């Protein structure tokens, strides 16, 4: 049975898209068939991490939501080449990554913002992608905050991964997300603290977050100069396979699988 994993945060700037891409890629390295849907339609861009040439993107999630004749197969792009073009040894060649990007064209974004779309189509798209590509996991990169699309993604999730920074606004916003997810009866919730300063006591920080929300803390990722230097020009877990941040991403994947 396919697991739907939504990656969400209350505020922008938490590193949500980078987290989604690296978690999905790490899962594919384990031999899983993985899909990624960029539902952050207002501010898309996860395809950049996979170096998917925009000139080769003919149709996107926007087309699926607006064109009744558009199929999931037309908007999904096989980006599994990233697994073979890295220095990481691929122990299981069965791993695949299919990416469904959203449009970065200003007119497409403006149309969505002004006219909206049928959210039920998004739900149908999730299941069509899962069936078409026989996925083990579908990762959903959500729009920050709460809106109709976000509520749908959270409600359909087998696992909800909530990203927050050690920041008071993030703490308060995350409490709202947790309460909403509980009302929607999400089966599993995991917390991930990102961009923690290296001089923090990670053990104390983990205990504080766990006590605040009474949920598992799957990982605490340090603010990384290597991640900043990478500047979204590739996937961190492939370019820095032995980095402590990559090891933490691997531990989060283990939490998702368990």
């Amino acid at each position: 049975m396919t697991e739907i994993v939504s990656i969400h945060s209350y505020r922008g700037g938490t590193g949500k898209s980078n987290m989604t891409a690296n978690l999905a890629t790490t899962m594919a390295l384990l031999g899983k068939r993985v899909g990624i849907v960029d539902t952050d339609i207002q501010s898309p861009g996860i395809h950049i991490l996979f170096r998917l040439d925009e000139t080769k993107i003919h149709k996107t999630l926007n087309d699926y939501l607006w064109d009744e004749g558009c199929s999931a197969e037309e908007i999904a792009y096989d980006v599994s080449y990233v697994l073979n073009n890295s220095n990481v040894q691929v122990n299981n060649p069965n791993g695949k990554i299919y990416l469904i990007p959203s449009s970065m064209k200003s007119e497409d974004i403006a149309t969505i913002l002004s006219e909206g779309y049928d959210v039920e189509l998004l739900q149908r798209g999730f299941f069509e992608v899962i069936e078409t590509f026989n996925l083990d996991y579908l990762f959903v990169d959500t729009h920050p905050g709460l809106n109709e699309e976000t509520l749908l993604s959270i409600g359909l999730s087998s696992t909800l991964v909530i990203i927050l920074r050690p920041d008071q606004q993030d703490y308060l916003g995350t409490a709202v997300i947790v309460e909403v997810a509980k009302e929607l009866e999400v089966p599993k919730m995991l917390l991930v603290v990102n961009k923690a300063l290296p001089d923090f006591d990670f053990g104390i920080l983990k205990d504080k977050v766990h006590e605040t929300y009474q949920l598992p803390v799957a990982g605490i990722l340090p603010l990384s100069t290597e991640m900043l230097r990478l500047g979204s020009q590739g996937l961190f877990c492939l370019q820095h396979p032995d980095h402590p941040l990559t090891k933490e991403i691997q531990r989060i994947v283990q939490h998702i699988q368990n």
Side-chain angles (χ1 to χ4, degrees), residues 25 28-29 79-86 88 90 95-97 238:
T25 300
L29 287 169
V79 293
S80 307
Y81 52 78
V82 298
L83 303 176
N84 301 318
N85 297 342
S86 72
V88 179
V90 181
K96 300 286 287 185
I97 309 174
L238 297 181

Side-chain angles (χ1 to χ4, degrees), residues 28-45:
L29 287 169
L30 299 176
K32 304 299 183 182
R33 296 177 63 86
V34 174
I36 305 170
V37 183
D38 186 356
T39 66
D40 192 355
I41 297 173
Q42 295 92 327
S43 50

Side-chain angles (χ1 to χ4, degrees), residues 191-207:
L191 298 173
V192 172
V193 181
N194 197 16
K195 302 185 179 180
L197 291 175
D199 59 356
F200 281 14
D201 186 317
F202 283 17
I204 292 176
L205 179 58
K206 184 175 183 178
D207 290 343

